[in-house]
């Protein structure tokens, strides 16, 4: 959990609602979050019996990112892209 978010929700009890929390998403700008704490799981090392769904979600997300990366690498070589003069000096993550 993000440390700044943890600081906001650490004081909540089950069923409590947080004050609005200002966040900034990547590419989405600033927005507010309101969090309801349904139940609390004490801090622990990840294990399959307690964290199966989270581990499954992370594994699936990793697999999706790798598949998209592979597809992007294949398409970059065969796709023509014209970059406007305004953006010629920019650094791109995929060359």
């Amino acid at each position: 959990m993000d440390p700044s978010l943890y600081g906001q929700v650490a004081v909540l009890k089950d069923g409590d609602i947080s004050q609005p929390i200002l966040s900034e998403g990547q590419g989405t700008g600033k927005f507010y979050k309101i969090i309801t704490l349904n139940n609390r799981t004490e801090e622990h090392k990840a294990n399959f019996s307690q964290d199966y769904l989270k581990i499954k979600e992370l594994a699936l997300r990793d697999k999706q990112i790798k598949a998209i990366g592979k597809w992007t690498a294949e398409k970059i070589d065969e796709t023509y892209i014209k970059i406007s003069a305004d953006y010629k000096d920019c650094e791109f993550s995929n060359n």
Side-chain angles (χ1 to χ4, degrees), residues 21-50:
I21 302 167
L22 180 62
S23 291
E24 190 166 348
Q26 188 176 17
T28 59
K30 293 182 180 180
F31 58 93
Y32 285 93
K33 294 186 220 180
I34 298 176
I35 298 172
T36 301
L37 181 64
N38 294 325
N39 64 24
R40 182 181 302 272
T41 302
E42 293 303 319
E43 186 175 325
H44 64 280
K45 286 188 177 185
N47 61 60
F48 283 112
S49 62
Q50 287 182 296

Side-chain angles (χ1 to χ4, degrees), residues 1-70:
M1 178 182 288
D2 182 79
S4 62
L5 180 61
Y6 179 79
Q8 298 287 330
V9 299
V11 296
L12 296 178
K13 295 179 176 65
D14 287 358
D16 283 355
I17 299 172
S18 73
Q19 294 293 318
I21 302 167
L22 180 62
S23 291
E24 190 166 348
Q26 188 176 17
T28 59
K30 293 182 180 180
F31 58 93
Y32 285 93
K33 294 186 220 180
I34 298 176
I35 298 172
T36 301
L37 181 64
N38 294 325
N39 64 24
R40 182 181 302 272
T41 302
E42 293 303 319
E43 186 175 325
H44 64 280
K45 286 188 177 185
N47 61 60
F48 283 112
S49 62
Q50 287 182 296
D51 304 306
Y52 176 77
L53 292 177
K54 186 66 174 172
I55 293 169
K56 179 182 172 184
E57 178 185 311
L58 290 171
L60 178 60
R61 188 176 307 148
D62 183 56
K63 189 174 181 179
Q64 290 169 337
I65 289 169
K66 287 178 181 174
I68 291 170
K70 180 181 175 189

